[in-house]
């Protein structure tokens, strides 16, 4: 299939681009390189260095049969301080992309949504029918695009899937996380293990969890890529599906730190800090729906394996 990957120079977009190429798809990456890296675009894909707002000529030229949309601002903390960037890129940019698709007669899309659309969960594991009450602008902006897709499916016959990622981690095809501003737990812990940072601050150890630190659902980026390949042909015209993507197993911050120590063989000095604003105690996905509908099963559920893959790629770099 001829596909356009918006945000294919970023962490998850580049891994999925590599997986699409391996399956024989023809891929154009659209990315303004604001946070992505040109050298992360896998060989075999064509890069159009363009923002979502200016995507129409690229779609008119490429005439993709489907779009996978990863391009977004994704830092929760920054979204609270500079909301314009999140509404502008994530919502305005996505709207421009959908209009560019319509003009190019392309109506199939897989969209990167997030667990942050749910906010503080009432029950864990979180199912897709849980209330969506985002507690930050990032989650609200992603939820707005989910709603946008529902209305484009109804009004314009779009075949759409929103994949709500939990904590994506690990590496695949030699591609891992590489953010200018790193905020995620596993890459930061690996930087400490590598001696690039002095210590890791654990944001709170007084949560109502067994060891007092927050619990998250870490899903391997290779399993996430598999889910995209399964989701791409799944919806019928006029259908918008929503699927959670996680392992269904939670690991605490303390367990992640222990895994990083064990995998790397290096010390990871830890400082206990204050809670980070907006962090729910526990976020674990129910991925029953995508397992039942699409037969998706994560292969990399072992935390040490996820950490090892991220470590190997970060060291190679
Ligand atoms: N943490 C620390 N110290 C750090 C970094 C993180 O203790 O230096 C803790 C956090 O408090 C949290 C856990 O490690 O309890 C995981 O934090 P991350 O920042 O790695 O990930 P989040 O769970 O905050 O965020 C993820 C995605 C977001 C998404 C969110 C859904 O990265 O895009 O889940 O709530 F919005």
């Amino acid at each position: 299939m001829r596909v356009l990957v918006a945000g294919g120079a970023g962490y998850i977009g580049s891994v999925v681009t590599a997986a699409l190429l391996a399956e024989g798809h023809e891929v154009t990456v659209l990315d303004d390189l604001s946070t992505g890296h040109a050298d992360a675009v896998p060989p075999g894909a064509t890069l159009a260095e363009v923002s979502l707002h200016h995507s129409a000529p690229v779609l008119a030229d490429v005439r993709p049969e489907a779009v996978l949309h990863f391009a977004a601002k994704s830092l929760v903390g920054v979204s609270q301080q500079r909301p314009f960037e999140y509404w502008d890129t994530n919502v305005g940019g996505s709207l421009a992309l959908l209009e560019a698709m319509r003009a190019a007669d392309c109506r199939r899309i897989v969209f990167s949504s997030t667990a942050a659309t749910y906010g503080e969960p009432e029950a864990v594991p979180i199912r897709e029918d849980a209330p969506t009450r985002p507690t930050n602008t990032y989650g609200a902006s992603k939820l707005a695009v989910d709603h946008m897709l529902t209305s484009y499916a109804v009004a314009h016959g779009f075949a759409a899937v929103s994949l709500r990622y939990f904590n994506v981690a690990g590496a695949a095809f030699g591609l891992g996380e590489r953010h200018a501003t790193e905020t995620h737990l596993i890459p930061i812990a690996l930087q400490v293990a590598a001696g690039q940072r002095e210590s890791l601050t654990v944001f709170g150890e007084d949560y109502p969890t067994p060891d007092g630190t927050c619990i998250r659902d870490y899903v391997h980026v290779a399993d996430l890529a598999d889910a995209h390949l399964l989701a791409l042909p799944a919806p019928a015209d006029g259908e918008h599906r929503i699927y959670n993507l996680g392992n269904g197993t939670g690991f605490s911050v303390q367990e992640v730190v222990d895994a990083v120590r064990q995998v790397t063989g290096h010390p990871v000095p830890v400082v206990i800090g204050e809670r980070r604003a907006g962090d729910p105690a526990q976020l674990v996905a129910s991925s029953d729906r995508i397992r039942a509908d699409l037969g998706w099963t994560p292969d990399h559920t072992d935390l040490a394996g996820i950490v090892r893959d991220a470590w190997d790629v970060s060291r190679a770099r």
Side-chain angles (χ1 to χ4, degrees):
M1 203 188 273
R2 205 166 48 254
V3 299
L4 182 128
V5 177
Y11 165 45
I12 302 169
S14 63
V15 169
V16 176
T17 296
L20 287 162
L21 290 167
E23 293 283 306
H25 295 283
E26 196 183 314
V27 185
T28 299
V29 165
L30 181 133
D31 200 302
D32 64 3
L33 302 183
S34 54
T35 52
H37 308 273
D39 64 7
V41 176
T46 308
L47 171 64
E49 199 182 324
V50 173
S51 72
L52 294 172
H53 287 288
H54 301 104
S55 54
V58 178
L59 275 97
D61 183 38
V62 173
R63 311 285 305 178
E65 294 155 274
V67 168
L68 295 100
H69 176 22
F70 302 88
K73 305 266 176 211
S74 64
L75 297 177
V76 171
V78 179
S79 80
Q80 296 300 87
Q81 294 147 7
R82 303 203 297 266
F84 171 77
E85 292 173 21
Y86 284 73
W87 295 114
D88 184 43
T89 300
N90 296 3
V91 177
S94 295
L95 189 60
L97 179 67
L98 295 191
E99 282 302 291
M101 288 176 66
R102 227 153 62 82
D105 203 21
C106 171
R107 288 176 162 74
R108 182 163 295 275
I109 181 164
V110 179
F111 171 63
S112 302
S113 187
T114 170
T117 53
Y118 296 110
E120 186 77 46
E122 277 171 7
V124 176
I126 303 171
R127 290 159 39 111
E128 291 84 351
D129 54 10
T132 43
R133 292 188 290 244
T135 51
N136 52 63
T137 303
Y138 167 66
S141 71
K142 288 282 183 173
L143 183 60
V145 180
D146 286 344
H147 290 314
M148 214 184 267
L149 291 172
T150 302
S151 57
Y152 271 64
V154 171
H156 303 306
F158 272 49
V161 181
S162 293
L163 297 176
R164 289 188 175 156
Y165 310 158
F166 282 62
N167 290 62
V168 187
F173 299 99
L175 298 160
E177 262 181 281
R178 191 163 34 127
H179 299 121
T181 314
E182 193 51 75
T183 63
H184 290 130
L185 177 63
I186 291 178
I188 288 178
L190 291 175
Q191 287 173 359
V192 176
Q196 294 161 357
R197 284 180 193 243
E198 264 181 29
S199 62
L200 169 86
T201 302
V202 171
F203 298 139
E205 58 167 3
D206 57 350
Y207 283 95
T209 59
D211 66 21
T213 65
C214 286
I215 291 176
R216 293 289 180 272
D217 183 334
Y218 296 89
V219 57
H220 195 291
V221 69
D223 289 326
L224 204 76
D226 287 346
H228 286 75
L229 295 179
L230 291 169
L232 190 57
D237 292 349
E239 191 184 8
H240 176 212
R241 300 189 187 186
I242 295 177
Y243 292 123
N244 288 344
L245 277 182
N247 282 324
T249 310
F251 294 101
S252 70
V253 173
Q254 186 58 54
E255 287 174 307
V256 170
V257 171
D258 290 342
V260 169
R261 287 176 177 146
Q262 181 224 318
V263 165
T264 65
H266 292 293
V268 178
V270 154
V271 174
I272 305 301
E274 296 294 306
R275 289 184 177 197
R276 187 172 67 177
D279 268 345
Q282 206 176 140
L283 288 176
V284 178
S286 161
S287 297
D288 291 351
R289 187 186 278 182
I290 190 167
R291 288 170 189 256
D293 285 7
L294 305 184
W296 178 72
T297 33
D299 289 330
H300 310 267
T301 50
D302 166 47
L303 180 62
I306 293 175
V307 168
R308 187 173 304 109
D309 288 350
W311 175 241
D312 288 347
V313 165
S314 68
R315 266 197 314 176
R317 208 164 42 230

